[in-house]
Amino acid sequence: MDQLIFLGTGGARVVMSTQSLSTGGIILEMNDTLLSIDPGPGAIVHAARMGLALEELKGVLLSHRHLDHCGDVNVMIEAMTHGGFHKRGTVFAPAQALYEDPVVLRYLWNYVKEVSLLEERQSYTCGSLNFETSMAHRHGEAETYGFLFHGRNYTLGYLPDTRYFPELASFYKCDILIISTLLLYKGKADHLSVSEAAQLIKEIKPGAAVLTHFGMGIWKAGVDTAAEKIAHKTGVKVIAARDGMRLDLPSLSERA
Ligand SMILES: [Zn+2]
């Protein structure tokens, strides 16, 4: 059963430290492969409360090393490997998150089968799921990549934190697009605003787009309002994710 499970939909420092929204990232089940993506603080708690079988994870994937994307990476590795008793799974992360300012504890490297270094525009396999990395995102000093996952009948894009730049649209051609929409209005931060997300969705023209990783401003203004605005501008079906939401990927990939 291909699906997305949103352990959290919050992004950035204030939302994360107040837990106004949860910050656990996403569990992706696709091509019989279970993957934890960007497990921010709280991922383990929300996954446990939802009764998810984390020992069935095939991998843990980090787009970049910011705390709201990796706070629970170590405990997710322990969960995937049954506390280190079953050596299995792969950790995928950019070099910066592994070497320069490491976020994966060194002793946990021995718990997993492989630690795979993410680089731009490369192909990777996790279980029976193939995916590609994007070009480097423009996200401050953080080495950041997004992903295109190849399902049996559709593609899923995950576009994490970045400043807008036009080349993004050419990489993220997909049927379902998950897009980090942190800002209500364009600001100085290297994050997408509602109007920039709309611009990208218009250019990419996916069958459906899912907004997530919300900052305080967009959350207070209403994420459903933002989704409706983008849908109106683009003609694309747009959903604002919610903490704990499950989305069935095959039905989402059906184009109207
Ligand atoms: Zn970030």
Side-chain angles (χ1 to χ4, degrees):
M1 188 175 69
D2 287 7
Q3 61 173 335
L4 292 169
I5 303 169
F6 288 85
L7 297 180
T9 58
R13 285 166 278 185
V14 178
V15 167
M16 175 180 64
S17 42
T18 57
Q19 288 292 296
S20 309
L21 291 166
S22 302
T23 46
I26 300 166
I27 298 287
L28 169 64
E29 187 173 3
M30 195 168 174
N31 292 14
D32 305 311
T33 301
L34 200 66
L35 190 60
S36 165
I37 302 173
D38 283 344
I44 192 75
V45 173
H46 300 298
R49 284 188 182 149
M50 291 175 84
L52 304 180
L54 296 180
E55 67 279 6
E56 288 171 17
L57 284 172
K58 295 263 170 51
V60 181
L61 173 65
L62 301 184
S63 63
H64 64 297
R65 64 167 178 173
H66 283 159
L67 197 52
D68 51 342
H69 293 256
C70 73
D72 270 9
V73 62
N74 292 297
V75 71
M76 290 304 258
I77 293 169
E78 286 229 354
M80 174 171 74
T81 59
H82 199 64
F85 290 107
H86 300 146
K87 191 178 176 91
R88 56 188 297 283
T90 306
V91 174
F92 299 90
Q96 192 184 49
L98 293 171
Y99 301 107
E100 189 186 313
D101 187 6
V103 297
V104 179
L105 293 170
R106 201 68 208 195
Y107 77 92
L108 294 176
W109 286 44
N110 296 323
Y111 286 18
V112 297
K113 273 240 169 84
E114 193 187 356
V115 175
S116 182
L117 192 67
L118 295 177
E119 293 175 311
E120 66 178 347
R121 296 280 195 176
Q122 297 295 316
S123 299
Y124 299 84
T125 301
C126 180
S128 43
L129 180 60
N130 296 323
F131 66 92
E132 289 164 63
T133 46
S134 68
M135 71 289 273
H137 279 198
R138 298 180 190 168
H139 188 44
E141 297 304 306
E143 183 188 2
T144 306
Y145 306 108
F147 309 96
L148 209 53
F149 299 95
H150 297 282
R152 293 187 180 103
N153 301 309
Y154 56 88
T155 50
L156 169 72
Y158 170 48
L159 196 165
D161 298 351
T162 187
R163 171 172 288 277
Y164 174 87
F165 56 101
E167 294 79 11
L168 286 167
S170 61
F171 174 77
Y172 287 100
K173 293 283 176 203
C174 59
D175 298 300
I176 305 162
L177 178 70
I178 306 166
I179 182 164
S180 287
T181 313
L182 197 128
L183 300 174
L184 183 59
Y185 302 112
K186 188 170 161 52
K188 284 192 187 129
D190 281 339
H191 282 288
L192 296 174
S193 64
V194 171
S195 61
E196 289 169 325
Q199 176 68 26
L200 283 168
I201 290 167
K202 197 173 169 183
E203 288 163 3
I204 295 167
K205 274 271 174 239
V210 184
L211 315 182
T212 189
H213 209 56
F214 305 118
M216 197 59 96
I218 182 173
W219 172 245
K220 283 192 171 160
V223 292
D224 284 335
T225 309
E228 279 165 29
K229 197 172 157 189
I230 296 174
H232 183 72
K233 265 191 182 172
T234 61
V236 171
K237 179 181 177 182
V238 182
I239 296 165
R242 285 290 196 284
D243 290 349
M245 182 185 260
R246 289 177 190 250
L247 290 174
D248 178 67
L249 288 169
S251 52
L252 209 56
S253 72
E254 286 165 17
R255 287 177 188 257

